[in-house]
Amino acid sequence: MRFEPGAVLPDHEHVNVEQTYVLEGRLVDKEGPAEGLVAGPGEFVWREAGSRHVAWCPEGGLMLAIFQVPNKFFEADGRVVDATGTDWNAAWGHTQQKR
């Protein structure tokens, strides 16, 4: 993922484990339990399933991010969507069914 300077990744939840390796710039937790956490070039950060936060890239950045299932993004109007704006449950809810 490439981020422009000042880009914000709004309120979202990692449904399963997230793994991110920072190639350029910085990824900063702006809000959430790890507020202030900074990962810079050459650093790896992971988040456990169910973690929720807001992140940003003050100078922009380039990240290799691996998600098992797309994140849930929480809209101000109460909708829960994926990164494309599609209803998360309609598109991805089947991935959370117990087997």
Coordinates of all heavy atoms in Angstrom, one line a residue:
M1 N 0.9 -1.2 0.0 CA 0.0 0.0 0.0 C 0.9 1.2 0.0 O 1.9 1.3 0.7 CB -0.9 0.0 1.3 CG -1.8 -1.2 1.4 SD -3.0 -1.1 2.7 CE -2.0 -0.8 4.1
R2 N 0.5 2.2 -0.8 CA 1.3 3.4 -0.9 C 0.4 4.5 -0.3 O -0.8 4.6 -0.7 CB 1.7 3.8 -2.3 CG 2.5 5.1 -2.3 CD 3.1 5.4 -3.6 NE 4.0 4.5 -4.1 CZ 5.3 4.4 -3.7 NH1 5.8 5.3 -2.9 NH2 6.1 3.5 -4.2
F3 N 0.9 5.3 0.6 CA 0.1 6.4 1.3 C 0.8 7.7 0.9 O 2.0 7.9 0.9 CB 0.2 6.2 2.8 CG -0.5 5.0 3.3 CD1 0.2 3.9 3.6 CD2 -1.9 5.0 3.5 CE1 -0.4 2.7 4.0 CE2 -2.5 3.9 4.0 CZ -1.8 2.7 4.3
E4 N -0.1 8.7 0.6 CA 0.3 10.1 0.4 C 0.7 10.7 1.7 O 0.2 10.3 2.8 CB -0.8 10.9 -0.3 CG -1.1 10.4 -1.7 CD 0.0 10.6 -2.7 OE1 0.7 11.6 -2.6 OE2 0.2 9.7 -3.5
P5 N 1.5 11.8 1.8 CA 1.8 12.4 3.0 C 0.5 12.9 3.7 O -0.4 13.4 3.1 CB 2.6 13.6 2.6 CG 3.3 13.2 1.3 CD 2.3 12.3 0.6
G6 N 0.4 12.6 5.0 CA -0.7 12.9 5.8 C -1.9 12.0 5.7 O -3.0 12.2 6.3
A7 N -1.8 10.9 4.9 CA -2.9 10.0 4.7 C -3.3 9.4 6.0 O -2.5 9.0 6.8 CB -2.6 8.9 3.7
V8 N -4.6 9.2 6.2 CA -5.2 8.6 7.4 C -5.9 7.4 7.0 O -6.8 7.4 6.1 CB -6.1 9.6 8.2 CG1 -6.8 8.9 9.4 CG2 -5.3 10.8 8.7
L9 N -5.7 6.3 7.7 CA -6.4 5.1 7.6 C -7.5 5.1 8.7 O -7.1 4.9 9.9 CB -5.5 3.9 7.7 CG -6.0 2.5 7.2 CD1 -6.4 2.6 5.8 CD2 -5.0 1.5 7.4
P10 N -8.7 5.4 8.4 CA -9.7 5.7 9.4 C -10.1 4.5 10.3 O -9.6 3.4 10.0 CB -10.9 6.2 8.6 CG -10.8 5.7 7.3 CD -9.3 5.5 7.0
D11 N -10.9 4.8 11.3 CA -11.3 3.8 12.3 C -11.6 2.4 11.6 O -12.5 2.3 10.8 CB -12.6 4.3 13.0 CG -13.0 3.4 14.1 OD1 -12.2 2.5 14.6 OD2 -14.2 3.6 14.6
H12 N -10.8 1.4 12.0 CA -11.0 0.1 11.4 C -10.6 -1.0 12.3 O -9.9 -0.7 13.3 CB -10.2 0.0 10.1 CG -8.7 0.1 10.3 ND1 -8.0 1.3 10.4 CD2 -7.7 -0.9 10.3 CE1 -6.7 1.1 10.6 NE2 -6.5 -0.2 10.5
E13 N -11.1 -2.2 12.1 CA -10.8 -3.4 12.9 C -10.1 -4.4 12.0 O -10.5 -4.7 10.9 CB -12.1 -3.9 13.4 CG -11.9 -5.2 14.2 CD -13.2 -5.8 14.7 OE1 -14.1 -5.0 15.2 OE2 -13.4 -7.0 14.5
H14 N -9.1 -5.0 12.5 CA -8.4 -6.1 11.9 C -9.2 -7.4 12.2 O -9.2 -7.8 13.4 CB -7.0 -6.2 12.2 CG -6.2 -5.0 11.9 ND1 -5.9 -4.7 10.6 CD2 -5.8 -3.9 12.6 CE1 -5.3 -3.5 10.5 NE2 -5.2 -3.0 11.7
V15 N -9.9 -8.0 11.3 CA -10.7 -9.1 11.5 C -9.9 -10.3 11.9 O -10.3 -11.0 12.9 CB -11.6 -9.4 10.3 CG1 -12.5 -10.7 10.5 CG2 -12.4 -8.2 9.9
N16 N -8.8 -10.6 11.2 CA -7.8 -11.6 11.6 C -6.5 -10.9 11.7 O -6.4 -9.7 11.7 CB -7.8 -12.7 10.5 CG -9.0 -13.6 10.5 OD1 -9.8 -13.6 11.4 ND2 -9.2 -14.3 9.4
V17 N -5.4 -11.6 11.9 CA -4.1 -11.0 12.1 C -3.7 -10.2 10.9 O -3.9 -10.5 9.8 CB -3.1 -12.1 12.3 CG1 -1.7 -11.6 12.4 CG2 -3.4 -12.9 13.6
E18 N -3.2 -9.0 11.2 CA -2.6 -8.1 10.2 C -1.1 -8.1 10.4 O -0.6 -8.1 11.5 CB -3.1 -6.7 10.4 CG -2.4 -5.7 9.5 CD -1.8 -4.5 10.2 OE1 -2.0 -4.3 11.4 OE2 -1.1 -3.7 9.6
Q19 N -0.4 -8.1 9.3 CA 1.1 -8.0 9.3 C 1.5 -6.9 8.4 O 1.1 -7.0 7.2 CB 1.7 -9.3 8.9 CG 1.3 -10.5 9.8 CD 1.8 -11.8 9.2 OE1 3.0 -12.1 9.3 NE2 0.9 -12.6 8.7
T20 N 2.3 -6.0 8.8 CA 2.8 -4.9 7.9 C 4.3 -4.7 8.1 O 4.8 -4.6 9.2 CB 2.1 -3.6 8.3 OG1 0.7 -3.8 8.1 CG2 2.5 -2.5 7.4
Y21 N 5.0 -4.7 7.0 CA 6.4 -4.4 6.9 C 6.5 -3.0 6.2 O 6.0 -2.8 5.1 CB 7.2 -5.4 6.1 CG 8.6 -5.2 6.0 CD1 9.4 -5.4 7.1 CD2 9.2 -4.7 4.9 CE1 10.8 -5.2 7.1 CE2 10.6 -4.5 4.8 CZ 11.4 -4.7 5.9 OH 12.7 -4.5 5.9
V22 N 7.2 -2.1 6.9 CA 7.3 -0.7 6.4 C 8.5 -0.6 5.5 O 9.6 -0.8 6.0 CB 7.4 0.3 7.6 CG1 7.5 1.7 7.1 CG2 6.2 0.2 8.5
L23 N 8.3 -0.2 4.3 CA 9.4 0.0 3.3 C 9.9 1.4 3.3 O 11.1 1.7 3.2 CB 9.0 -0.4 1.9 CG 8.6 -1.9 1.8 CD1 7.8 -2.2 0.6 CD2 9.8 -2.8 1.9
E24 N 8.9 2.4 3.3 CA 9.3 3.8 3.3 C 8.3 4.5 4.3 O 7.2 4.1 4.4 CB 9.1 4.4 1.9 CG 10.0 3.8 0.9 CD 9.6 4.3 -0.5 OE1 8.7 5.1 -0.7 OE2 10.3 3.8 -1.5
G25 N 8.7 5.6 4.8 CA 7.9 6.5 5.7 C 7.6 5.9 7.1 O 8.4 5.1 7.5
R26 N 6.6 6.3 7.7 CA 6.2 5.8 9.0 C 4.7 5.5 9.1 O 3.9 6.2 8.5 CB 6.5 6.9 10.1 CG 8.0 7.2 10.3 CD 8.2 8.2 11.4 NE 7.5 9.4 11.2 CZ 6.9 10.2 12.1 NH1 7.0 9.9 13.4 NH2 6.4 11.3 11.8
L27 N 4.4 4.5 9.8 CA 3.0 4.2 10.1 C 2.8 4.4 11.6 O 3.5 3.9 12.4 CB 2.7 2.7 9.8 CG 1.3 2.2 10.0 CD1 0.3 3.0 9.1 CD2 1.2 0.7 9.7
V28 N 1.9 5.3 11.9 CA 1.7 5.8 13.3 C 0.3 5.5 13.8 O -0.7 5.8 13.1 CB 2.0 7.3 13.4 CG1 1.8 7.8 14.9 CG2 3.3 7.7 12.9
D29 N 0.1 4.9 14.9 CA -1.2 4.7 15.5 C -1.7 6.1 16.0 O -1.0 6.6 17.0 CB -1.2 3.7 16.7 CG -1.4 2.3 16.2 OD1 -0.8 2.0 15.1 OD2 -2.0 1.5 16.9
K30 N -2.7 6.6 15.4 CA -3.2 7.9 15.8 C -4.2 7.8 16.9 O -4.3 8.7 17.8 CB -3.9 8.6 14.6 CG -4.2 10.0 14.7 CD -4.7 10.6 13.4 CE -4.9 12.0 13.5 NZ -5.1 12.7 12.2
E31 N -5.0 6.8 17.0 CA -6.0 6.5 18.0 C -6.1 5.0 18.3 O -5.8 4.2 17.4 CB -7.4 7.0 17.6 CG -7.5 8.5 17.4 CD -8.9 8.9 16.9 OE1 -9.8 8.1 16.9 OE2 -9.0 10.0 16.3
G32 N -6.5 4.6 19.4 CA -6.7 3.2 19.8 C -5.7 2.8 20.9 O -5.0 3.6 21.4
P33 N -5.8 1.5 21.2 CA -5.0 1.0 22.4 C -3.5 1.2 22.3 O -2.8 1.4 23.3 CB -5.3 -0.5 22.4 CG -6.5 -0.7 21.6 CD -6.6 0.5 20.6
A34 N -3.0 1.2 21.0 CA -1.5 1.4 20.8 C -1.2 2.8 20.4 O -0.2 3.1 19.7 CB -1.0 0.4 19.8
E35 N -2.0 3.8 20.7 CA -1.8 5.2 20.3 C -0.4 5.6 20.5 O 0.2 5.4 21.6 CB -2.7 6.1 21.1 CG -2.7 7.6 20.6 CD -3.7 8.5 21.3 OE1 -4.6 8.0 22.0 OE2 -3.5 9.7 21.2
G36 N 0.2 6.2 19.5 CA 1.6 6.7 19.6 C 2.6 5.7 19.0 O 3.8 6.0 18.8
L37 N 2.2 4.4 18.8 CA 3.1 3.4 18.3 C 3.6 3.8 16.9 O 2.7 4.2 16.1 CB 2.4 2.0 18.2 CG 3.2 0.9 17.6 CD1 4.3 0.5 18.5 CD2 2.3 -0.3 17.2
V38 N 4.9 3.8 16.7 CA 5.4 4.2 15.4 C 6.2 3.0 14.8 O 7.1 2.4 15.5 CB 6.3 5.4 15.5 CG1 7.0 5.8 14.2 CG2 5.6 6.6 16.1
A39 N 6.0 2.7 13.5 CA 6.8 1.7 12.8 C 7.4 2.5 11.6 O 6.7 3.1 10.8 CB 6.0 0.6 12.3
G40 N 8.7 2.4 11.5 CA 9.5 3.1 10.4 C 10.1 2.1 9.4 O 9.9 0.9 9.5
P41 N 10.9 2.6 8.5 CA 11.5 1.8 7.4 C 12.2 0.6 8.1 O 13.0 0.7 9.0 CB 12.4 2.7 6.7 CG 11.8 4.0 6.9 CD 11.2 4.0 8.3
G42 N 12.0 -0.6 7.5 CA 12.6 -1.8 8.0 C 12.0 -2.5 9.2 O 12.5 -3.5 9.6
E43 N 10.9 -1.9 9.7 CA 10.3 -2.4 10.9 C 9.0 -3.2 10.5 O 8.3 -2.8 9.5 CB 9.9 -1.3 11.9 CG 11.2 -0.7 12.5 CD 10.9 0.3 13.5 OE1 10.1 1.2 13.3 OE2 11.6 0.3 14.6
F44 N 8.7 -4.1 11.3 CA 7.5 -5.0 11.1 C 6.6 -4.8 12.3 O 7.0 -4.8 13.4 CB 8.0 -6.5 11.0 CG 6.9 -7.5 11.0 CD1 6.3 -7.8 9.8 CD2 6.5 -8.1 12.1 CE1 5.3 -8.8 9.7 CE2 5.5 -9.1 12.0 CZ 4.9 -9.4 10.8
V45 N 5.3 -4.7 12.0 CA 4.3 -4.6 13.0 C 3.2 -5.6 12.7 O 2.9 -5.8 11.6 CB 3.8 -3.1 13.2 CG1 3.1 -2.6 11.9 CG2 2.8 -3.0 14.4
W46 N 2.6 -6.2 13.8 CA 1.5 -7.0 13.6 C 0.4 -6.7 14.6 O 0.7 -6.1 15.6 CB 1.8 -8.5 13.6 CG 2.2 -9.0 15.0 CD1 3.4 -8.9 15.6 CD2 1.3 -9.6 15.9 NE1 3.3 -9.4 16.9 CE2 2.1 -9.9 17.1 CE3 0.0 -10.0 15.9 CZ2 1.5 -10.5 18.2 CZ3 -0.6 -10.6 17.0 CH2 0.2 -10.8 18.1
R47 N -0.8 -7.0 14.2 CA -1.9 -6.7 15.1 C -2.8 -8.0 15.2 O -3.0 -8.6 14.2 CB -2.8 -5.6 14.5 CG -1.9 -4.4 14.2 CD -2.7 -3.1 14.3 NE -2.0 -2.0 13.8 CZ -1.1 -1.3 14.5 NH1 -0.9 -1.5 15.8 NH2 -0.5 -0.3 13.9
E48 N -3.2 -8.2 16.4 CA -4.0 -9.4 16.6 C -5.4 -9.2 16.1 O -5.9 -8.1 15.9 CB -4.1 -9.8 18.1 CG -4.7 -8.7 19.0 CD -4.5 -9.0 20.5 OE1 -3.5 -9.7 20.8 OE2 -5.3 -8.5 21.2
A49 N -6.1 -10.3 15.9 CA -7.5 -10.3 15.4 C -8.4 -9.5 16.4 O -8.2 -9.6 17.6 CB -8.0 -11.7 15.3
G50 N -9.2 -8.7 15.8 CA -10.1 -7.9 16.7 C -9.6 -6.5 17.1 O -10.3 -5.7 17.7
S51 N -8.3 -6.2 16.8 CA -7.7 -4.9 17.2 C -8.3 -3.8 16.3 O -8.6 -4.0 15.1 CB -6.2 -4.9 17.1 OG -5.8 -5.1 15.7
R52 N -8.6 -2.7 16.9 CA -9.2 -1.6 16.3 C -8.5 -0.3 16.6 O -8.1 0.0 17.7 CB -10.7 -1.4 16.8 CG -11.5 -0.4 16.1 CD -12.9 -0.5 16.5 NE -13.7 0.6 16.1 CZ -15.0 0.7 16.2 NH1 -15.7 -0.2 16.8 NH2 -15.6 1.8 15.8
H53 N -8.3 0.5 15.5 CA -7.5 1.7 15.7 C -7.6 2.7 14.5 O -8.3 2.3 13.5 CB -6.0 1.4 15.9 CG -5.3 0.8 14.8 ND1 -4.1 1.3 14.3 CD2 -5.6 -0.2 14.0 CE1 -3.7 0.6 13.2 NE2 -4.6 -0.3 13.0
V54 N -7.0 3.8 14.5 CA -6.9 4.8 13.4 C -5.3 4.9 13.2 O -4.6 5.1 14.2 CB -7.5 6.1 13.8 CG1 -7.2 7.1 12.6 CG2 -9.0 6.0 14.0
A55 N -4.9 4.8 12.0 CA -3.5 5.0 11.7 C -3.2 6.1 10.7 O -4.2 6.5 10.0 CB -2.9 3.6 11.2
W56 N -2.0 6.6 10.7 CA -1.7 7.6 9.7 C -0.3 7.6 9.3 O 0.6 7.0 10.0 CB -2.2 9.0 10.1 CG -1.3 9.7 11.2 CD1 -1.0 9.2 12.4 CD2 -0.7 11.0 11.1 NE1 -0.3 10.1 13.1 CE2 -0.1 11.2 12.4 CE3 -0.7 11.9 10.2 CZ2 0.6 12.3 12.6 CZ3 0.0 13.1 10.4 CH2 0.6 13.3 11.7
C57 N 0.0 8.2 8.2 CA 1.4 8.3 7.6 C 1.8 9.8 7.5 O 1.5 10.4 6.4 CB 1.5 7.6 6.3 SG 1.2 5.8 6.4
P58 N 2.4 10.4 8.5 CA 2.7 11.8 8.4 C 3.5 12.2 7.2 O 3.2 13.2 6.6 CB 3.6 12.0 9.7 CG 3.4 10.9 10.5 CD 2.9 9.7 9.7
E59 N 4.5 11.4 6.7 CA 5.3 11.8 5.6 C 4.9 10.9 4.3 O 5.6 11.0 3.3 CB 6.8 11.5 5.8 CG 7.3 12.1 7.0 CD 7.2 11.3 8.3 OE1 7.0 10.0 8.2 OE2 7.4 11.8 9.4
G60 N 3.8 10.2 4.4 CA 3.5 9.2 3.4 C 4.2 7.9 3.7 O 5.0 7.8 4.6
G61 N 4.1 6.9 2.8 CA 4.8 5.7 3.1 C 4.5 4.6 2.1 O 3.5 4.7 1.3
L62 N 5.3 3.6 2.1 CA 5.1 2.4 1.3 C 5.1 1.2 2.2 O 6.1 1.1 2.9 CB 6.1 2.3 0.2 CG 6.0 1.1 -0.7 CD1 4.7 1.1 -1.5 CD2 7.2 1.1 -1.7
M63 N 4.1 0.4 2.3 CA 4.0 -0.7 3.2 C 3.7 -2.0 2.4 O 2.9 -2.0 1.5 CB 2.9 -0.5 4.3 CG 2.7 0.9 4.8 SD 4.0 1.4 5.9 CE 3.7 3.2 5.9
L64 N 4.2 -3.1 2.9 CA 3.7 -4.4 2.5 C 2.8 -4.9 3.6 O 3.3 -5.1 4.7 CB 4.9 -5.4 2.3 CG 4.5 -6.8 2.0 CD1 3.7 -6.9 0.7 CD2 5.8 -7.7 2.0
A65 N 1.5 -5.0 3.3 CA 0.6 -5.3 4.3 C -0.1 -6.6 3.9 O -0.6 -6.8 2.8 CB -0.5 -4.2 4.5
I66 N -0.3 -7.5 4.9 CA -0.9 -8.8 4.6 C -2.1 -9.0 5.6 O -1.9 -8.9 6.8 CB 0.1 -10.0 4.8 CG1 1.3 -9.8 3.9 CG2 -0.6 -11.3 4.6 CD1 2.5 -10.7 4.2
F67 N -3.2 -9.2 5.0 CA -4.5 -9.4 5.7 C -5.1 -10.7 5.3 O -5.2 -11.0 4.1 CB -5.5 -8.3 5.4 CG -4.9 -6.9 5.6 CD1 -4.4 -6.2 4.6 CD2 -5.0 -6.3 6.9 CE1 -3.9 -4.9 4.8 CE2 -4.5 -5.0 7.1 CZ -4.0 -4.3 6.0
Q68 N -5.5 -11.5 6.2 CA -6.2 -12.8 5.9 C -7.6 -12.5 5.4 O -8.1 -13.2 4.5 CB -6.2 -13.7 7.1 CG -4.8 -14.1 7.5 CD -4.9 -14.8 8.8 OE1 -5.4 -14.3 9.8 NE2 -4.2 -16.0 8.9
V69 N -8.2 -11.5 5.9 CA -9.6 -11.0 5.6 C -9.5 -9.5 5.6 O -8.9 -8.9 6.4 CB -10.6 -11.5 6.6 CG1 -12.0 -11.0 6.3 CG2 -10.7 -13.1 6.6
P70 N -10.2 -8.8 4.6 CA -10.2 -7.4 4.6 C -10.7 -6.8 5.9 O -11.5 -7.3 6.6 CB -11.1 -7.0 3.5 CG -11.1 -8.2 2.6 CD -10.9 -9.4 3.5
N71 N -10.1 -5.6 6.3 CA -10.5 -4.9 7.5 C -11.9 -4.4 7.4 O -12.5 -4.2 6.3 CB -9.6 -3.6 7.6 CG -8.2 -3.9 7.9 OD1 -7.8 -5.0 8.4 ND2 -7.3 -3.0 7.5
K72 N -12.5 -4.2 8.6 CA -13.8 -3.6 8.8 C -13.6 -2.1 9.0 O -12.8 -1.8 9.9 CB -14.6 -4.2 9.9 CG -15.1 -5.6 9.8 CD -15.8 -6.0 11.0 CE -16.4 -7.4 10.9 NZ -17.1 -7.8 12.1
F73 N -14.2 -1.2 8.2 CA -14.1 0.2 8.4 C -15.4 0.7 9.0 O -16.5 0.3 8.4 CB -13.8 0.9 7.1 CG -12.3 0.7 6.7 CD1 -12.0 -0.4 5.9 CD2 -11.3 1.5 7.1 CE1 -10.7 -0.6 5.5 CE2 -10.0 1.3 6.7 CZ -9.7 0.3 5.9
F74 N -15.4 1.5 10.0 CA -16.6 2.0 10.7 C -16.9 3.4 10.2 O -16.2 4.3 10.5 CB -16.4 1.9 12.2 CG -16.1 0.5 12.6 CD1 -14.8 0.0 12.8 CD2 -17.2 -0.4 12.9 CE1 -14.5 -1.3 13.1 CE2 -16.9 -1.7 13.3 CZ -15.6 -2.2 13.4
E75 N -18.0 3.5 9.5 CA -18.5 4.8 9.0 C -19.2 5.6 10.1 O -19.8 5.0 11.0 CB -19.4 4.6 7.8 CG -18.7 3.9 6.6 CD -17.6 4.7 5.9 OE1 -17.8 6.0 5.8 OE2 -16.6 4.2 5.5
A76 N -19.2 6.9 10.0 CA -19.9 7.8 10.9 C -21.4 7.5 11.0 O -22.0 7.7 12.0 CB -19.7 9.3 10.6
D77 N -22.0 7.0 9.9 CA -23.4 6.7 9.9 C -23.8 5.4 10.4 O -24.9 4.9 10.3 CB -24.0 6.9 8.5 CG -23.4 6.0 7.4 OD1 -22.6 5.0 7.8 OD2 -23.7 6.1 6.2
G78 N -22.8 4.6 10.9 CA -23.0 3.3 11.5 C -22.8 2.1 10.6 O -22.7 1.0 11.0
R79 N -22.6 2.4 9.3 CA -22.3 1.3 8.4 C -20.9 0.7 8.7 O -20.0 1.4 9.1 CB -22.3 1.8 6.9 CG -23.7 2.2 6.5 CD -23.7 2.7 5.0 NE -22.8 3.8 4.8 CZ -21.9 3.8 3.9 NH1 -21.7 2.9 3.1 NH2 -21.1 4.9 3.8
V80 N -20.7 -0.6 8.4 CA -19.5 -1.3 8.4 C -19.1 -1.7 7.0 O -19.9 -2.5 6.4 CB -19.5 -2.4 9.4 CG1 -18.1 -3.1 9.5 CG2 -19.9 -2.0 10.8
V81 N -18.0 -1.2 6.5 CA -17.7 -1.5 5.1 C -16.3 -2.0 4.9 O -15.5 -1.9 5.9 CB -17.9 -0.2 4.2 CG1 -19.3 0.3 4.3 CG2 -16.9 0.9 4.7
D82 N -16.0 -2.5 3.7 CA -14.6 -2.8 3.5 C -13.9 -1.6 2.8 O -14.5 -0.5 2.7 CB -14.5 -4.1 2.6 CG -15.0 -4.0 1.2 OD1 -15.3 -2.8 0.7 OD2 -15.2 -5.0 0.5
A83 N -12.7 -1.8 2.4 CA -11.9 -0.6 1.8 C -12.5 0.0 0.6 O -12.3 1.1 0.2 CB -10.5 -1.0 1.6
T84 N -13.4 -0.8 -0.1 CA -14.0 -0.3 -1.3 C -15.4 0.3 -1.1 O -16.0 0.8 -2.0 CB -14.2 -1.5 -2.3 OG1 -15.2 -2.4 -1.8 CG2 -12.9 -2.2 -2.6
G85 N -15.8 0.3 0.2 CA -17.1 0.9 0.6 C -18.3 -0.1 0.5 O -19.4 0.3 0.7
T86 N -18.0 -1.3 0.2 CA -19.0 -2.4 0.2 C -19.3 -2.9 1.6 O -18.5 -3.0 2.4 CB -18.4 -3.6 -0.7 OG1 -18.1 -3.1 -2.0 CG2 -19.5 -4.7 -0.7
D87 N -20.6 -3.1 1.8 CA -21.1 -3.7 3.1 C -20.2 -4.9 3.5 O -20.1 -5.9 2.7 CB -22.5 -4.1 3.0 CG -23.0 -4.6 4.3 OD1 -23.5 -3.9 5.2 OD2 -23.0 -5.9 4.5
W88 N -19.5 -4.8 4.6 CA -18.6 -5.8 5.0 C -19.3 -7.2 5.2 O -18.8 -8.2 4.7 CB -17.8 -5.4 6.3 CG -16.6 -6.3 6.5 CD1 -15.4 -6.1 6.1 CD2 -16.6 -7.6 7.1 NE1 -14.5 -7.1 6.4 CE2 -15.3 -8.1 7.1 CE3 -17.6 -8.4 7.8 CZ2 -14.9 -9.3 7.6 CZ3 -17.2 -9.6 8.3 CH2 -15.8 -10.0 8.2
N89 N -20.4 -7.2 5.9 CA -21.0 -8.5 6.1 C -21.5 -9.2 4.9 O -21.4 -10.4 4.7 CB -22.2 -8.4 7.1 CG -21.7 -8.3 8.5 OD1 -20.7 -8.9 8.9 ND2 -22.3 -7.4 9.3
A90 N -22.0 -8.4 3.9 CA -22.5 -8.9 2.6 C -21.3 -9.5 1.8 O -21.4 -10.6 1.2 CB -23.2 -7.9 1.8
A91 N -20.2 -8.9 1.9 CA -19.0 -9.3 1.1 C -18.2 -10.3 1.8 O -17.6 -11.3 1.1 CB -18.2 -8.1 0.7
W92 N -18.0 -10.2 3.1 CA -17.0 -11.0 3.8 C -17.5 -11.8 5.0 O -16.8 -12.5 5.6 CB -15.8 -10.1 4.2 CG -15.3 -9.3 3.1 CD1 -15.5 -8.0 2.8 CD2 -14.4 -9.9 2.1 NE1 -14.8 -7.7 1.6 CE2 -14.1 -8.8 1.2 CE3 -13.8 -11.1 1.9 CZ2 -13.3 -9.0 0.1 CZ3 -13.0 -11.3 0.8 CH2 -12.7 -10.3 -0.1
G93 N -18.8 -11.6 5.4 CA -19.3 -12.2 6.5 C -19.2 -13.7 6.5 O -19.0 -14.4 7.6
H94 N -19.2 -14.3 5.3 CA -19.1 -15.8 5.2 C -17.7 -16.3 5.7 O -17.6 -17.4 6.1 CB -19.3 -16.2 3.8 CG -18.2 -15.8 2.8 ND1 -18.1 -14.5 2.3 CD2 -17.1 -16.4 2.4 CE1 -17.1 -14.4 1.6 NE2 -16.4 -15.5 1.6
T95 N -16.7 -15.4 5.8 CA -15.4 -15.9 6.2 C -15.3 -16.1 7.7 O -14.4 -16.7 8.2 CB -14.3 -14.8 5.8 OG1 -14.5 -13.6 6.5 CG2 -14.3 -14.6 4.3
Q96 N -16.3 -15.6 8.4 CA -16.3 -15.7 9.9 C -17.3 -16.8 10.4 O -17.4 -16.9 11.6 CB -16.7 -14.3 10.5 CG -15.8 -13.2 10.1 CD -14.3 -13.5 10.3 OE1 -13.9 -13.6 11.5 NE2 -13.5 -13.7 9.3
Q97 N -17.8 -17.6 9.5 CA -18.7 -18.6 10.0 C -17.9 -19.8 10.6 O -16.8 -20.1 10.1 CB -19.5 -19.2 8.8 CG -20.5 -18.2 8.2 CD -21.2 -18.7 7.0 OE1 -20.9 -19.8 6.5 NE2 -22.1 -17.9 6.5
K98 N -18.4 -20.3 11.7 CA -17.7 -21.4 12.4 C -17.8 -22.6 11.5 O -18.8 -22.9 10.9 CB -18.3 -21.6 13.7 CG -18.3 -20.4 14.6 CD -17.6 -20.7 15.9 CE -17.8 -19.5 16.8 NZ -16.6 -18.8 17.0
R99 N -16.7 -23.4 11.5 CA -16.7 -24.6 10.7 C -16.9 -25.8 11.6 O -16.5 -25.9 12.7 CB -15.5 -24.8 9.9 CG -15.4 -23.6 8.9 CD -14.1 -23.7 8.2 NE -14.0 -22.5 7.4 CZ -13.3 -22.3 6.4 NH1 -12.5 -23.3 6.0 NH2 -13.3 -21.2 5.7

